[in-house]
Amino acid sequence: MRLLAVRLQNLNSLSGTHEVRFDAAPLSAAGVFLITGPTGAGKSTLLDAMTLALYGRAARYGNDRADEMMSRHTAECLAEVDFETGGETLRAIWRLRRARGKADGKLQPVERRLANATTGEILAEKAAEMDRIIEEKTGLDVHRFLRSVLLAQGQFAAFLKAKPNERAELLEKITGTEIYSDLSVLAFETHKAKDETARTLKERLGSVMVLDDAGRAHLEGSLAEAQTNAARLQTESQAAAQQLRDQREHAGIVAEFAKLTVSHQALQQSQAGLSAEVSKTKAAAEEAKQQRAKREPVWEQAAGMAAQSEQFEKQLGESRAMYQTWAKEQKETVARREAAEKALAAHADETQALEAWLKKNAGDAELGETLPNLRVAVREWRGVFEKLAEGRKRHAEALVLQQNLGKTESAAAALVKQGTEGTAKAKTDRAEMERLTKALEAQRELTRHAEQVAGFDEHRQDLKPGEECPLCGALEHPFAKAETNFESQLQAARKLLKGLEQQHEKANRELVMLERELAKNEAEVVAENKRIAEIRKRMSELEAPTDGLLEQWSAEEEQKRGVVQSRLAGAQLNGPASPQEAEREIGALEQRAALFAKKRDESVQKRSERQKIESDIQLAQQEQEAKTKRLDELKAEGVTLRAKADALKTQLNELLGGKTLGEDRQQHEGSVVTAEKIWRETETKLNALQTQSAAAMAKLEQLEVRRQPFAGQSVPDAVALSEMETNAKRLNDAFATKRTELGSLEQQIRNDDEARKRRESGGAELRAAEAEALRWGRLKELIGSADGAKFSRFAQSLTLRQLIGLANEHLKSLAERYRLMAAEGDELDLRIVDLYQANVDRPMESLSGGESFLASLALALGLSELASRHHPIDSLFIDEGFGTLDSETLEVALSALENLRSRGKTIGLISHVELLKDRLTTQVRVVRGAGGTSRIEVVA
């Protein structure tokens, strides 16, 4: 996995939009670069943006606090990372918004998206799906990313100085291997539960009680006897209950028959009285109908008179309405005539003023015909005028471009020469570097040989002529009495080795600086060539005119201008200086011509309007006279209709006795309805009595049929029924008691059967539970413990051995003198091996601050390789810790990190140490600004 770019917007103090490109110069050419800035400026926010985009959580926080990353007083924040993995370039995006795009809006759900950065294809838009795809393609979840890309060097510094038990916890936290503790606790707890299950089954099986054969036989005999007695009691109880029901029914039938006989006789007496009442009410209803029939001729006469009276009233109303309408129309006619007379007076004044204006501006009458030709002449002048101005502009620009082209070509040639010289020097420096590397390896081999020879110096004194050497088995020992001082040879070899190492480091630094200068020179040459191409392209596109063509266009422009000025002079206007000014003057003339035409049309319209107003006045006068005559006629007609209507109302009042036709009709109709209602109600009551009498007779017949089975039997009294009820209850209670006893005996039989089955099956279940508890017990003995430490320490010891092996590979470059090893007897205890002191091992506490940093840095680099052994990691970021190093050790550490560039790795160091700023010139600077905000600058 290689990080190519990170973009962020409004995250913490980094408000606004920012972008850092790791795949572009100067960061891509540096190998090792510095991320620097004041404390709190936002250096770590840059790392937070990476994990936000990739995994939806900040490196320093977690999922629950990701929303706190948004800068204050902003409505949106963004984190975006481009990265390369498996030959594919992907883009991960994290975005958080507020509602309505306002800074005080409610936070909306987080948006995440993963896309192909080349094609734009969306691969995932849901968090879970995005995390799964990133882990599949990179082999890193968020925890492995934090251990392999963002190196926690500070955690390893604590790891080195910790006690063995503390080191196990730190190693578990650093490597993310908490699962081994969980498995250890799971094995312990599961065995505990399985053992408890087996013990409970064993206790439960011991508490099961089973009857012996004699007890079982006695219980079964009691059950058979109880079943026989219960059957007998049930038969007797059912017979007594049936007898009680039958006698109760007999007594009820006799009592109800006597009651119904009395009720039927009373109904027959009431029926005779209602029959006479029905006849009486029917005669009254017929009398009321006859009185209504005699009154109907009077109603017909009164209806005719009322209709005629209403007709007169209607005609009188219509006459009055028409009179009011005509009076209103006459008033409107008078108003129209007066308004028309006023309009005629005003119209005469307006017409007089308009004629005076037309006479005063008679000179503008011919402008409408002359202006179109003048407009064509100005348009021709404008085309020539603009062509001349554009030609002069392109001609001047071409001169400037020609001058810039010469300067740029000279600068490009100087850069090419400088690059050629630098390339030659780089080739020489690389040859020298290879020579020093070979010499350094040879000297290292000689030094190791000298160390071995010096290490056996005291053992040479024990060699004796003719006896075998315990190391090689030789009988001759030419160096046994040698006078050579091997220790002095060793010190000389080490001194020479140190000198070669210093030469090698110096040559390496100079070569790196030269390569940076060459990359910068190459970029500048490309930029200058691009500028040359752009200038030449612009010159070819410009098509600037020649001096002769410009003179020809100038003469043509003067001729067109003269034509326009001569025509405008005829309109008494000054000559314009430009086509635009001429067009403005023509616009003014067109407005004058349009105004004159408008006024002339208004004059014609005014004459037409005067004729219409005079005609309207004459018509209004005639209409007023006609309406006055019609009003007099309507007034006389209304007086006649009023007299006729009053005479008819007097006659109608005498005919109906002072009542209205409706009241008289309603009185007689009400009498008929009331009489008929009383007749029908009486008849309904009679029908109801007849129905009740028939029903009572039918029920008496039914009771007679039900009484037949009891013929010849005496009717039981209350005392006899009470005795029968007591006997039935006694037999029922005896049966219930016996049934309870029977149920108890049957339950004892079932309990004994179940106990026998549990005892048979409990043995097999207990044996299975004990076998399961034994299996988990063996696993607990191997890895289980209550606190999870047993399996965890074993797993951490294996992880630590792998980590030590990878870290020692980096220590060869960072501090060749030292190696890490696990202490004997405690596999989580670390020791440091001093190769310069005959491989003696000593505790980690003996290391100085700078040596501890180099050892922790080696462990951090080792963990990065351990976490990414199946998916290569080409981008590393190391946070702080460099302040403990002196200048010489710092150079060694940086050289080792720069050597990682040969493996294709890009490394970013996060620090504000001044010595690093001088040593690493390629920097990502987080610059603090006003108001608590910061900005990002990339410099080289």
Side-chain angles (χ1 to χ4, degrees):
M1 178 185 186
R2 178 185 296 277
L3 297 178
L4 304 178
V6 59
R7 304 174 191 87
L8 57 132
Q9 176 186 2
N10 297 333
L11 293 180
N12 289 338
S13 60
L14 296 175
S15 61
T17 303
H18 308 272
E19 180 182 31
V20 179
R21 296 296 302 264
F22 303 117
D23 59 340
L27 297 183
S28 62
V32 179
F33 61 88
L34 182 65
I35 302 176
T36 184
T39 301
K43 300 187 297 297
S44 297
T45 300
L46 190 61
L47 305 183
D48 291 335
M50 299 179 191
T51 54
L52 272 177
L54 290 168
Y55 300 104
R57 55 170 288 178
R60 293 174 293 170
Y61 305 147
N63 291 330
D64 296 335
R65 299 186 61 189
D67 57 339
E68 297 183 9
M69 294 292 295
M70 185 183 294
S71 302
R72 292 176 59 83
H73 309 302
T74 60
E76 178 182 9
C77 60
L78 167 77
E80 182 176 305
V81 166
D82 290 351
F83 62 99
E84 184 181 57
T85 179
E88 186 177 13
T89 302
L90 304 177
R91 177 169 296 155
I93 301 173
W94 177 93
R95 187 189 305 272
L96 182 64
R97 308 175 191 264
R98 291 188 181 273
R100 305 182 306 280
K102 294 184 178 181
D104 59 349
K106 184 179 180 181
L107 284 172
Q108 302 300 297
V110 170
E111 301 173 20
R112 292 183 61 193
R113 184 167 68 252
L114 180 65
N116 187 303
T118 304
T119 64
E121 178 188 0
I122 303 299
L123 303 179
E125 290 184 302
K126 293 183 178 179
E129 181 70 9
M130 185 171 170
D131 291 342
R132 183 185 63 77
I133 294 176
I134 289 179
E135 184 173 355
E136 287 179 357
K137 291 183 177 292
T138 64
L140 302 175
D141 60 9
V142 62
H143 302 293
R144 289 195 291 272
F145 181 85
L146 293 174
R147 293 193 297 271
S148 57
V149 178
L150 307 182
L151 303 187
Q153 184 273 335
Q155 290 183 329
F156 279 102
F159 176 76
L160 288 174
K161 303 296 178 65
K163 300 298 182 183
N165 289 335
E166 297 174 354
R167 185 173 288 121
E169 296 177 4
L170 286 173
L171 187 62
E172 184 175 79
K173 180 179 179 182
I174 293 172
T175 58
T177 52
E178 298 87 349
I179 189 174
Y180 299 112
S181 295
D182 297 340
L183 289 174
S184 180
V185 173
L186 178 63
F188 180 85
E189 296 294 341
T190 304
H191 169 258
K192 183 178 179 182
K194 297 294 184 182
D195 188 61
E196 179 66 21
T197 299
R199 186 183 60 79
T200 301
L201 285 172
K202 192 171 184 179
E203 292 176 354
R204 189 184 304 163
L205 190 61
S207 64
V208 176
M209 301 299 294
V210 179
L211 295 174
D212 56 14
D213 293 342
R216 176 68 182 226
H218 179 267
L219 184 62
E220 290 176 347
S222 299
L223 176 62
E225 182 181 355
Q227 288 174 340
T228 301
N229 293 332
R232 176 180 57 78
L233 286 172
Q234 182 179 15
T235 301
E236 294 176 355
S237 175
Q238 290 174 350
Q242 184 62 42
Q243 182 184 10
L244 177 62
R245 286 193 295 272
D246 292 344
Q247 292 304 317
R248 279 178 176 172
E249 183 181 2
H250 184 198
I253 289 171
V254 171
E256 188 176 359
F257 188 88
K259 182 180 178 181
L260 277 175
T261 301
V262 175
S263 177
H264 183 258
Q265 292 173 355
L267 285 173
Q268 286 180 336
Q269 293 175 0
S270 299
Q271 185 177 351
L274 274 176
S275 296
E277 184 70 20
V278 168
S279 300
K280 182 180 178 181
T281 56
K282 183 177 181 181
E286 291 297 331
E287 176 65 21
K289 289 180 181 180
Q290 291 176 3
Q291 292 295 327
R292 182 182 63 182
K294 292 178 182 180
R295 195 65 175 169
E296 284 183 356
V298 177
W299 293 342
E300 290 178 1
Q301 182 183 358
M305 295 173 66
Q308 189 175 6
S309 176
E310 289 176 0
Q311 181 66 27
F312 286 151
E313 291 290 343
K314 180 178 180 183
Q315 291 175 0
L316 181 60
E318 291 174 352
S319 178
R320 287 174 178 172
M322 186 174 295
Y323 181 87
Q324 292 175 356
T325 301
W326 280 87
K328 182 179 178 182
E329 290 178 355
Q330 184 189 33
K331 189 175 181 180
E332 292 174 352
T333 302
V334 172
R336 283 202 307 273
R337 178 180 59 78
E338 293 174 352
E341 290 173 350
K342 291 180 181 179
L344 182 62
H347 187 275
D349 295 338
E350 293 176 359
T351 303
Q352 185 178 359
L354 183 59
E355 292 296 334
W357 189 92
L358 289 173
K359 184 176 181 181
K360 179 181 178 181
N361 297 280
D364 292 344
E366 298 179 357
L367 285 176
E369 298 177 358
T370 60
L371 284 177
N373 293 332
L374 182 58
R375 173 70 71 180
V376 172
V378 171
R379 191 180 301 115
E380 292 177 353
W381 178 28
R382 180 169 185 169
V384 176
F385 183 87
E386 292 177 349
K387 181 173 68 173
L388 177 60
E390 179 64 22
R392 287 173 176 169
K393 179 181 177 182
R394 291 202 304 269
H395 188 270
E397 185 179 351
L399 293 177
V400 174
L401 287 174
Q402 188 64 39
Q403 295 174 359
N404 291 342
L405 179 62
K407 294 178 182 179
T408 306
E409 288 177 341
S410 300
L415 287 171
V416 170
K417 181 180 179 183
Q418 182 181 352
T420 303
E421 294 173 353
T423 302
K425 187 175 185 307
K427 183 177 180 181
T428 304
D429 289 352
R430 289 192 190 97
E432 178 64 16
M433 188 69 181
E434 291 178 1
R435 186 190 67 78
L436 287 173
T437 301
K438 292 179 180 179
L440 183 61
E441 291 298 327
Q443 186 60 36
R444 284 175 178 167
E445 183 61 31
L446 290 175
T447 303
R448 282 194 291 271
H449 183 267
E451 289 174 349
Q452 293 175 354
V453 172
F456 290 107
D457 192 32
E458 63 182 25
H459 297 291
R460 292 191 188 92
Q461 305 301 325
D462 298 331
L463 295 176
K464 297 179 180 180
E467 294 182 3
E468 292 184 354
C469 174
L471 179 64
C472 62
L475 299 176
E476 297 180 358
H477 317 297
F479 293 101
K481 296 182 179 181
E483 298 178 357
T484 304
N485 189 341
F486 294 105
E487 185 63 31
S488 62
Q489 288 182 354
L490 175 60
Q491 295 300 327
R494 287 177 175 172
K495 183 176 181 181
L496 182 57
L497 175 61
K498 185 174 182 181
L500 284 173
E501 286 176 341
Q502 292 175 350
Q503 293 180 30
H504 185 272
E505 292 173 3
K506 181 179 179 182
N508 183 59
R509 287 196 301 271
E510 292 176 351
L511 180 59
V512 170
M513 294 297 293
L514 182 57
E515 287 177 344
R516 291 176 183 166
E517 291 296 329
L518 286 175
K520 183 178 179 182
N521 176 271
E522 183 179 355
E524 291 176 350
V525 169
V526 171
E528 292 297 330
N529 288 335
K530 184 177 180 181
R531 287 184 59 196
I532 291 172
E534 290 174 350
I535 292 173
R536 288 176 174 168
K537 180 180 179 182
R538 176 58 184 159
M539 290 177 66
S540 64
E541 294 173 348
L542 197 57
E543 298 181 356
T546 62
D547 293 339
L549 187 58
L550 284 177
E551 292 177 359
Q552 178 183 345
W553 290 353
S554 178
E556 185 178 356
E557 189 271 338
E558 290 178 0
Q559 186 268 331
K560 298 290 184 183
R561 180 171 55 191
V563 171
V564 173
Q565 289 177 346
S566 64
R567 292 184 178 179
L568 286 175
Q572 299 179 354
L573 295 174
N574 296 327
S578 67
Q580 291 79 6
E581 184 177 346
E583 288 177 343
R584 286 195 295 271
E585 292 179 356
I586 291 174
L589 290 175
E590 288 177 340
Q591 291 178 358
R592 285 168 53 188
L595 180 60
F596 186 86
K598 180 181 179 183
K599 293 290 186 180
R600 185 169 54 195
D601 294 341
E602 287 179 359
S603 177
V604 175
Q605 186 178 1
K606 289 292 182 182
R607 287 194 291 272
S608 175
E609 289 175 353
R610 180 179 179 82
Q611 294 175 359
K612 184 177 183 303
I613 293 172
E614 291 174 346
S615 176
D616 290 343
I617 293 173
Q618 184 179 0
L619 290 174
Q621 185 67 35
Q622 295 173 357
E623 187 177 352
Q624 182 180 353
E625 294 173 356
K627 290 185 183 298
T628 300
K629 182 180 178 181
R630 178 59 179 160
L631 284 172
D632 294 339
E633 295 174 352
L634 288 173
K635 188 174 182 181
E637 182 182 345
V639 172
T640 303
L641 289 172
R642 179 75 272 167
K644 292 180 179 180
D646 291 343
L648 277 175
K649 285 183 178 179
T650 301
Q651 295 177 14
L652 184 61
N653 190 39
E654 293 175 352
L655 182 62
L656 296 176
K659 292 184 287 188
T660 64
L661 176 61
E663 291 173 347
D664 191 71
R665 186 189 295 272
Q666 184 177 6
Q667 179 183 351
H668 287 82
E669 290 289 347
S671 299
V672 172
V673 170
T674 301
E676 287 183 342
K677 181 180 180 183
I678 294 172
W679 170 43
R680 290 193 187 94
E681 288 177 350
T682 306
E683 194 173 33
T684 301
K685 290 179 181 179
L686 178 60
N687 293 335
L689 285 175
Q690 291 173 346
T691 301
Q692 292 177 10
S693 178
M697 191 63 192
K699 197 163 186 181
L700 285 171
E701 293 174 354
Q702 293 176 359
L703 289 174
E704 184 63 33
V705 173
R706 290 173 59 192
R707 194 170 58 173
Q708 292 300 324
F710 301 102
Q713 296 182 14
S714 60
V715 179
D717 56 9
V719 176
L721 287 173
S722 178
E723 291 176 353
M724 284 188 281
E725 183 177 1
T726 301
N727 183 51
K729 184 175 184 304
R730 179 182 60 77
L731 290 172
N732 186 61
D733 292 343
F735 172 66
T737 302
K738 185 57 70 176
R739 186 171 55 187
T740 302
E741 179 185 350
L742 179 62
S744 175
L745 293 171
E746 290 175 343
Q747 184 61 42
Q748 292 179 40
I749 292 291
R750 286 194 294 271
N751 290 342
D752 188 60
D753 290 341
E754 291 176 1
R756 293 173 184 270
K757 292 179 181 178
R758 283 203 305 273
R759 175 162 288 187
E760 292 175 0
S761 62
E765 185 179 0
L766 176 61
R767 287 190 296 274
E770 288 176 340
E772 185 72 2
L774 179 61
R775 185 169 69 90
W776 280 97
R778 292 171 180 167
L779 186 61
K780 186 204 77 168
E781 293 299 323
L782 292 174
I783 66 172
S785 61
D787 58 358
K790 189 171 186 179
F791 192 32
S792 175
R793 285 180 65 88
F794 173 72
Q796 298 307 335
S797 67
L798 298 180
T799 304
L800 183 60
R801 288 185 179 277
Q802 285 185 290
L803 186 58
I804 288 174
L806 295 170
N808 282 335
E809 292 298 319
H810 292 285
L811 267 182
K812 292 179 181 178
S813 301
L814 293 170
E816 185 184 8
R817 176 178 178 178
Y818 298 111
R819 297 292 184 272
L820 295 171
M821 65 173 287
E824 295 183 4
D826 190 343
E827 296 182 338
L828 290 179
D829 189 12
L830 275 179
R831 307 282 289 179
I832 191 73
V833 178
D834 191 341
L835 300 181
Y836 287 4
Q837 297 295 328
N839 296 340
V840 66
D841 63 273
R842 61 175 193 257
M844 300 302 298
E845 290 80 3
S846 64
L847 293 176
S848 65
E851 292 170 336
S852 295
F853 170 77
L854 294 178
S856 63
L857 178 59
L859 284 168
L861 293 173
L863 178 63
S864 176
E865 291 187 15
L866 182 64
S868 61
R869 54 188 179 274
H870 300 300
H871 294 79
I873 302 296
D874 296 326
S875 298
L876 302 176
F877 294 89
I878 304 174
D879 193 359
E880 293 298 348
F882 294 91
T884 60
L885 304 181
D886 56 29
S887 58
E888 183 177 354
T889 307
L890 180 62
E891 284 294 333
V892 173
L894 292 180
S895 297
L897 292 174
E898 287 174 340
N899 287 335
L900 292 176
R901 183 185 178 189
S902 61
R903 304 182 189 178
K905 295 185 182 295
T906 300
I907 301 175
L909 306 182
I910 305 168
S911 179
H912 52 263
V913 176
E914 292 297 329
L915 192 59
L916 274 176
K917 296 180 183 178
D918 298 336
R919 175 64 174 80
L920 298 176
T921 57
T922 302
Q923 300 175 5
V924 177
R925 294 178 181 172
V926 182
V927 182
R928 180 176 291 163
T933 62
S934 303
R935 69 179 189 276
I936 296 177
E937 297 178 352
V938 179
V939 298

